[in-house]
Amino acid sequence: MVVFVAFLLMFLPRAVCMISSAKCSISDPLPFLHKEYQSGDLIVVDILSQIYIFYAMINFTERPSKKIFEDIVFMTPLYQHILALEFAIKEINENPHILPNYTLGFHIYNSYFSPGWTFRASLELFSTQIRFIPNYNCEIQNRPTAVIGGPTSEVSLHMATILSLYKMPQIIYGFVPETDVKNQNAFYQQIFPNAEHQYLGIIKLLLHFKWTWIGAYTVNNENGQRFVQNVVPMFAKRGICFAFIEKFPKSSYSNSLVESLEEGSKVYYEVMRSTVNVVVLHGETDHIILLRILSNRLKDENVPLWNKDKVWIMTAQMDFTSVPFIRNIDLVFLHGALSFAIHSEKILGFQKFLQSKDPTLEKEGGLFRVFWKNAFECSFRINRVEEEDEVLCNGQEKLETLPTSVFEMQMTGHSYSIYNAAHVVAHALHDFHSSVRKYRAGDQETKLNFLKQPLWKLNHFVRSVSFNNSAGGKVSFNQNGELETGFDIMNWITFSNLSFLRIRVGKTDPIGSEGKMLTIDDAIVWPHNFHQVQPLSLCNGKCHLGYSKSKIEGKAFCCYNCHKCPQGKISNQEDLDDCFQCAEDQYPSDKQDICLPKVITFLKYEETLGTIFTSSALFFSLVTVGVFWIFIKHQDTPIVKANNRDLTYTLLMVLLLSFLCVFLFIGQPNKVTCVFRQTAFGIIFSVAISCILSKTFIVVLAFIVTKPGSMMTKWMGKKLAMFIVLGCSFIQEIICAIWLTSSPPFPDADMNSMEQEIILVCNEGSNSFFYCVLGLLGFLALVSFTVAFLARKLPDAFNEAKFITFSMLVFCSVWLSFVPTYLSTKGKYMVAVEIFSIIASSAGLLICIFFPKCYIIVLRPDMNNKDQLRRQNNRIA
């Protein structure tokens, strides 16, 4: 006979159920479940399970007797774990393709919440079932082959510490931190996904709902310390901070229970008093019992906080459990909670299996009857005097009528893991047996050799197992011995009849990208006090658009003040750490929440300013043409001939060009206009000032040469005028030529001068050359003004010096005011200032020099004759 032993360590309260395939002796006081399937050769699956909890104030140091056992309390919700194992074994035995000619059975043990009893139960696997003598077990058929353990880290760790010494294959359906058993992980596999993936899923869930101010409730052991040291920083890196990190009081079912509850009440009060609306529960299976008791305690004490809701986020290590003495306490504190659970599928046939259970049948063990008694609050004590109001169990009770807080008909996440664990062992044994049979001849010899194989050989087959269970769910392990699957996100909905539902509202995908690893449904039920509105969990209100966060000294980074963005910056998202500048071609809105595109602008003909300048330039151009026509028509008159008629014509032509050059400054700048704009202005005005300077010198020299014997006679006439005009303008032309060859002007866009506009301008290329052009014009104007001022009182009837003096005064005033004004303006108004200066100075020259002459020519022709000129000269003489 070949015997296989699987060993299930379940983190249930302190009681023991020692089941053996042999007859139970006095040392094994609790023979409640004994399954043997007699077809073929027997393989027994031993499961160590905690299904009981002692009443408070019982302090024991040794295994309880039968009498004590009658007073212990049964945790009915967790009995489903054993039923899931039994169903899995039944399913395996009925499958002819898995372990043909072999039959599975199982035994049950308990770990007592105690490392000592966990070690003891582990060693009992290597002892006879009559007496506890470790390493002494001559019964080959009773030798364990693999162990299924969990769900808590402590139980799994203590189990692995012993069993790994024997290289015992272990299937753990709880979470075991790798650092705890790093030297033992070759001997166990976890029916649990990578824990870091779960923590990352929690972070994604918090960020999805924008919960950045949370609390944490963690176990009070090394696993809890590791959570604080390693996992909490993961939250902080992603902008989530903790208002508090509290620890559950250590589980105690002895004389210290009252003290534990007092300690737990203080912590729970602070948790409920906190401003956070979301609390992460990093607990174990029995911690829901504690939370249920503490919540009810606040209610009984009429503490105002008892009805304050929190959104609990539970890790997959937690599962619902309960005990009879809190059976009637409501579950409202769980309403709207979110929990992570190992991804599971619906197992067909499981509910039908549960409904077929009948405690009156002889095949059912005593353990099932204890469960039935606690679940339905009845008694099987038919040979005793019944207590008052005691109800007898008749076996007709229906499991589906029980509230889900007592027993769930749907397979829970942990039960699903146990179901898969049994199939993992069966498939590994099948592969192991096939490999042995391949190299051995003879059926009986194969069975004996299969039984005698070293245990460590099975580890390879367990780790390499990959199959689809009956529900279609894939079961396989990664290189770290962890289950390759994701997590389901469950939403808890409670009812007044002490039932609850766990609705799948999302999932995590371990192979998806970080941005797509989490999917969440919108149909989530929230706790009652939030009135079905998604709760917020923030240290303070969000910083709205146009504001940025400012850290508050001495507080967590999630707590901050909000400050208006500085001028020129924006924030287009809530809770930005800092405001930022818009792109060069954009500007901030008035609320500083968005960037608006800047308007491209330049001095246009259509706008008011452009129209005024265009009209003014055209008007003065026509006036100049009119004056020119008058002078041409009266070219033979003395006043026209005076002071060099050719200079007069040249000056009028230049003034006409100066008015027309205004059009180079209006309109969108381009390469041509930018090149000719300033150079044309400089050369035209240099010629204009040179003409005026020549006229002034001619007036002075005309007076000098009237004296007998003057040496200046030869300088009179056209030669002098031509020399002055060509010489002065030639210097300006040289400057402009150097400018255009070395650093010519070019079209450019000024994005910084105006906040809301992009100004299309002509970049001067070199400001130095531009100011050299202006400097030369200023120098010529100053010389002209000085000479004209000195010659203003010379005796000449047609003396232009006084008019030139006044015109140069206007010219110099305009361009002296131009420089500071030009430098202080921005955008297209810089161009407007220059255009205004050009028109004003040109109009000043035209009006001051030519209007008096036009007045005489047109309105006072009597003054335009030689006699008048002689009378004036004689009068002066």
Side-chain angles (χ1 to χ4, degrees):
M1 178 181 291
V2 180
V3 177
F4 162 68
V5 181
F7 171 38
L8 175 63
L9 293 169
M10 301 178 64
F11 190 59
L12 310 176
R14 294 180 178 174
V16 66
C17 177
M18 301 295 298
I19 307 303
S20 156
S21 60
K23 221 174 195 180
C24 294
S25 63
I26 297 176
S27 62
D28 296 306
L30 305 175
F32 292 117
L33 185 61
H34 179 207
K35 289 294 180 189
E36 290 186 2
Y37 297 86
Q38 299 299 334
S39 60
D41 291 287
L42 177 66
I43 298 177
V44 178
V45 181
D46 283 358
I47 119 173
L48 191 146
S49 177
Q50 300 120 333
I51 305 296
Y52 301 94
I53 179 172
F54 285 91
Y55 279 114
M57 312 306 290
I58 297 178
N59 187 12
F60 60 89
T61 57
E62 60 183 29
R63 187 176 294 172
S65 65
K66 288 183 179 179
K67 183 177 183 305
I68 294 177
F69 180 78
E70 294 177 358
D71 295 324
I72 63 178
V73 178
F74 195 85
M75 301 177 89
T76 52
L78 297 186
Y79 185 64
Q80 190 196 93
H81 295 183
I82 294 178
L83 295 178
L85 178 74
E86 184 179 353
F87 175 73
I89 291 176
K90 177 177 179 294
E91 194 175 71
I92 293 168
N93 288 333
E94 294 174 353
N95 189 338
H97 301 292
I98 304 178
L99 292 177
N101 300 322
Y102 294 91
T103 306
L104 295 183
F106 62 90
H107 291 165
I108 300 177
Y109 294 81
N110 198 340
S111 68
Y112 283 90
F113 272 130
S114 165
W117 283 111
T118 303
F119 293 142
R120 161 92 185 224
S122 301
L123 288 171
E124 283 182 357
L125 296 175
F126 306 98
S127 173
T128 62
Q129 297 199 7
I130 303 300
R131 298 181 64 185
F132 178 62
I133 307 177
N135 297 325
Y136 183 76
N137 185 357
C138 297
E139 299 176 353
I140 295 179
Q141 67 271 24
N142 287 327
R143 188 188 71 168
T145 303
V147 173
I148 301 173
T152 67
S153 57
E154 283 192 330
V155 171
S156 303
L157 172 62
H158 299 324
M159 181 188 75
T161 301
I162 296 296
L163 299 183
S164 295
L165 296 175
Y166 295 90
K167 301 181 179 180
M168 168 69 72
Q170 304 156 53
I171 313 297
I172 297 175
Y173 67 93
F175 166 62
V176 180
E178 184 178 352
T179 53
D180 284 339
V181 286
K182 59 184 178 181
N183 297 323
Q184 306 163 2
N185 57 11
F187 306 111
Y188 74 86
Q189 321 300 316
Q190 287 185 261
I191 304 289
F192 195 91
N194 188 295
E196 186 173 341
H197 174 68
Q198 177 181 212
Y199 298 135
L200 186 58
I202 294 175
I203 291 172
K204 290 293 183 182
L205 179 68
L206 295 171
L207 295 178
H208 175 81
F209 293 114
K210 299 180 181 179
W211 294 331
T212 58
W213 179 241
I214 66 171
Y217 232 150
T218 185
V219 289
N220 193 359
N221 55 27
E222 291 183 3
N223 194 21
Q225 295 176 3
R226 190 175 294 105
F227 175 81
V228 174
Q229 294 173 0
N230 300 334
V231 180
V232 170
M234 291 172 56
F235 287 74
K237 288 180 181 178
R238 290 166 173 82
I240 301 170
C241 55
F242 290 84
F244 60 85
I245 300 177
E246 299 291 353
K247 294 181 179 180
F248 290 105
K250 288 190 175 181
S251 301
S252 177
Y253 300 97
S254 62
N255 291 333
S256 62
L257 177 62
V258 176
E259 289 80 359
S260 296
L261 286 177
E262 289 296 332
E263 177 188 352
S265 294
K266 294 178 182 178
V267 174
Y268 188 78
Y269 179 84
E270 294 300 321
V271 170
M272 299 305 292
R273 195 168 65 91
S274 171
T275 58
V276 302
N277 287 325
V278 177
V279 180
V280 174
L281 298 179
H282 181 254
E284 302 284 6
T285 303
D286 66 328
H287 286 127
I288 287 185
I289 296 177
L290 180 62
L291 290 174
R292 195 174 175 188
I293 293 173
L294 295 176
S295 175
N296 186 71
R297 192 169 186 180
L298 286 182
K299 180 178 179 181
D300 290 342
E301 294 175 359
N302 199 27
V303 176
L305 293 172
W306 78 268
N307 62 350
K308 183 178 180 180
D309 286 328
K310 303 285 185 187
V311 178
W312 307 105
I313 298 179
M314 296 179 282
T315 57
Q317 295 93 303
M318 300 185 70
D319 199 5
F320 183 84
T321 188
S322 182
V323 289
F325 63 83
I326 64 169
R327 176 171 180 158
N328 295 322
I329 296 178
D330 62 48
L331 302 171
V332 67
F333 81 100
L334 273 177
H335 186 76
L338 299 171
S339 66
F340 279 69
I342 299 173
H343 177 70
S344 61
E345 305 289 346
K346 185 177 182 180
I347 302 296
L348 298 177
F350 182 65
Q351 289 194 11
K352 186 176 180 181
F353 169 77
L354 295 179
Q355 292 168 349
S356 67
K357 304 294 289 183
D358 187 347
T360 61
L361 299 179
E362 292 184 4
K363 67 176 182 178
E364 302 293 357
L367 185 60
F368 184 69
R369 293 189 179 184
V370 175
F371 156 73
W372 201 272
K373 170 187 171 182
N374 280 268
F376 291 100
E377 297 181 308
C378 60
S379 174
F380 287 97
R381 299 188 297 181
I382 57 177
N383 295 325
R384 296 189 180 185
V385 178
E386 291 81 4
E387 297 180 3
E388 186 178 357
D389 299 329
E390 188 172 40
V391 179
L392 292 179
C393 301
N394 56 20
Q396 300 302 312
E397 298 86 0
K398 301 295 183 182
L399 290 175
E400 56 265 30
T401 63
L402 292 171
T404 49
S405 60
V406 177
F407 188 81
E408 295 182 69
M409 295 295 289
Q410 296 287 344
M411 186 178 285
T412 64
H414 283 168
S415 295
Y416 184 78
S417 296
I418 295 169
Y419 170 85
N420 282 334
H423 277 274
V424 167
V425 174
H427 279 79
L429 282 169
H430 175 82
D431 296 339
F432 188 24
H433 179 259
S434 299
S435 68
V436 173
R437 185 171 53 190
K438 183 184 299 183
Y439 300 102
R440 302 293 180 182
D443 187 58
Q444 186 62 32
E445 185 181 357
T446 300
K447 294 172 184 175
L448 291 175
N449 282 291
F450 177 44
L451 180 65
K452 293 177 181 178
Q453 294 296 318
L455 295 177
W456 60 266
K457 289 188 176 182
L458 185 60
N459 286 298
H460 168 74
F461 295 93
V462 172
R463 177 158 291 197
S464 60
V465 157
S466 179
F467 63 92
N468 291 336
N469 60 26
S470 62
K474 184 177 180 181
V475 180
S476 61
F477 300 99
N478 61 21
Q479 59 183 2
N480 296 321
E482 299 161 334
L483 189 66
E484 291 183 321
T485 187
F487 292 91
D488 292 330
I489 301 174
M490 315 300 291
N491 186 207
W492 294 60
I493 304 172
T494 63
F495 304 97
S496 58
N497 64 351
L498 303 180
S499 290
F500 60 84
L501 287 176
R502 282 183 274 199
I503 307 297
R504 185 180 303 172
V505 294
K507 65 179 181 179
T508 63
D509 183 5
I511 61 175
S513 62
E514 186 170 340
K516 297 181 179 179
M517 69 168 294
L518 176 72
T519 56
I520 293 291
D521 297 337
D522 295 330
I524 295 179
V525 175
W526 301 111
H528 295 297
N529 284 354
F530 297 113
H531 305 292
Q532 206 45 37
V533 175
Q534 178 190 319
L536 298 175
S537 193
L538 303 169
C539 181
N540 46 258
K542 295 182 178 180
C543 289
H544 298 300
L545 307 185
Y547 291 81
S548 64
K549 297 191 294 186
S550 175
K551 180 175 174 56
I552 302 175
E553 293 295 331
K555 291 192 176 183
F557 67 87
C558 289
C559 304
Y560 47 81
N561 291 322
C562 298
H563 292 295
K564 186 74 175 175
C565 288
Q567 188 68 29
K569 293 186 176 183
I570 71 155
S571 65
N572 57 0
Q573 296 178 16
E574 292 182 332
D575 282 346
L576 277 186
D577 292 327
D578 196 9
C579 302
F580 61 90
Q581 294 276 89
C582 290
E584 277 193 330
D585 59 346
Q586 297 176 331
Y587 70 95
S589 62
D590 292 338
K591 294 183 179 180
Q592 294 179 266
D593 55 351
I594 58 172
C595 289
L596 301 174
K598 289 184 177 181
V599 178
I600 297 178
T601 185
F602 50 88
L603 188 57
K604 301 176 182 179
Y605 291 100
E606 307 87 64
E607 60 182 296
T608 304
L609 204 55
T611 302
I612 292 174
F613 287 145
T614 303
S615 302
S616 300
L618 289 175
F619 172 77
F620 284 109
S621 297
L622 293 175
V623 171
T624 304
V625 172
V627 172
F628 202 172
W629 179 80
I630 292 173
F631 272 65
I632 292 294
K633 186 177 180 180
H634 301 86
Q635 60 180 334
D636 295 326
T637 60
I639 200 168
V640 174
K641 290 181 178 181
N643 292 346
N644 198 321
R645 182 172 54 189
D646 292 335
L647 281 179
T648 300
Y649 293 161
T650 302
L651 181 58
L652 285 172
M653 289 296 297
V654 170
L655 290 177
L656 177 61
L657 292 176
S658 69
F659 289 121
L660 294 179
C661 81
V662 166
F663 295 101
L664 292 174
F665 292 83
I666 303 176
Q668 183 173 347
N670 56 58
K671 191 172 183 180
V672 174
T673 57
C674 287
V675 168
F676 288 105
R677 179 182 289 183
Q678 300 296 354
T679 55
F681 154 74
I683 293 173
I684 290 170
F685 269 79
S686 65
V687 174
I689 302 302
S690 298
C691 290
I692 294 173
L693 181 61
S694 297
K695 278 180 168 288
T696 309
F697 269 106
I698 288 174
V699 171
V700 174
L701 292 176
F703 178 77
I704 294 175
V705 298
T706 57
K707 296 181 180 180
S710 174
M711 298 297 297
M712 300 298 296
T713 303
K714 62 181 179 180
W715 292 104
M716 293 292 294
K718 296 181 179 180
K719 290 183 179 180
L720 176 61
M722 185 178 297
F723 175 79
I724 295 174
V725 172
L726 294 179
C728 295
S729 60
F730 180 72
I731 297 173
Q732 188 76 288
E733 289 168 3
I734 293 297
I735 295 174
C736 291
I738 298 173
W739 184 5
L740 294 179
T741 55
S742 61
S743 181
F746 58 90
D748 197 6
D750 181 3
M751 297 186 178
N752 302 317
S753 297
M754 304 296 289
E755 182 181 7
Q756 302 180 11
E757 297 176 354
I758 298 176
I759 311 299
L760 298 184
V761 297
C762 285
N763 190 311
E764 307 304 345
S766 174
N767 289 325
S768 300
F769 282 106
F770 176 65
Y771 289 114
C772 285
V773 169
L774 291 180
L776 180 60
L777 293 178
F779 173 75
L780 294 177
L782 183 62
V783 172
S784 296
F785 173 75
T786 303
V787 174
F789 180 79
L790 295 175
R792 71 187 186 281
K793 293 184 178 180
L794 291 177
D796 189 354
F798 298 105
N799 185 6
E800 289 183 306
K802 55 184 176 182
F803 302 119
I804 291 174
T805 302
F806 189 70
S807 66
M808 294 313 300
L809 180 63
V810 172
F811 185 90
C812 292
S813 300
V814 169
W815 287 104
L816 284 175
S817 61
F818 161 79
V819 175
T821 308
Y822 182 82
L823 296 175
S824 62
T825 54
K826 297 179 180 179
K828 63 183 180 182
Y829 298 104
M830 295 179 68
V831 180
V833 168
E834 189 169 358
I835 293 174
F836 174 80
S837 299
I838 291 172
I839 294 175
S841 59
S842 299
L845 295 178
L846 179 66
I847 293 170
C848 293
I849 294 176
F850 292 99
F851 273 32
K853 291 184 178 184
C854 289
Y855 172 78
I856 294 174
I857 294 172
V858 176
L859 298 180
R860 297 293 304 272
D862 56 304
M863 298 179 63
N864 188 10
N865 55 70
K866 291 184 178 181
D867 295 336
Q868 182 66 25
L869 175 61
R870 291 192 186 97
R871 284 196 297 270
Q872 291 292 336
N873 289 336
N874 292 333
R875 191 180 302 119
I876 294 173

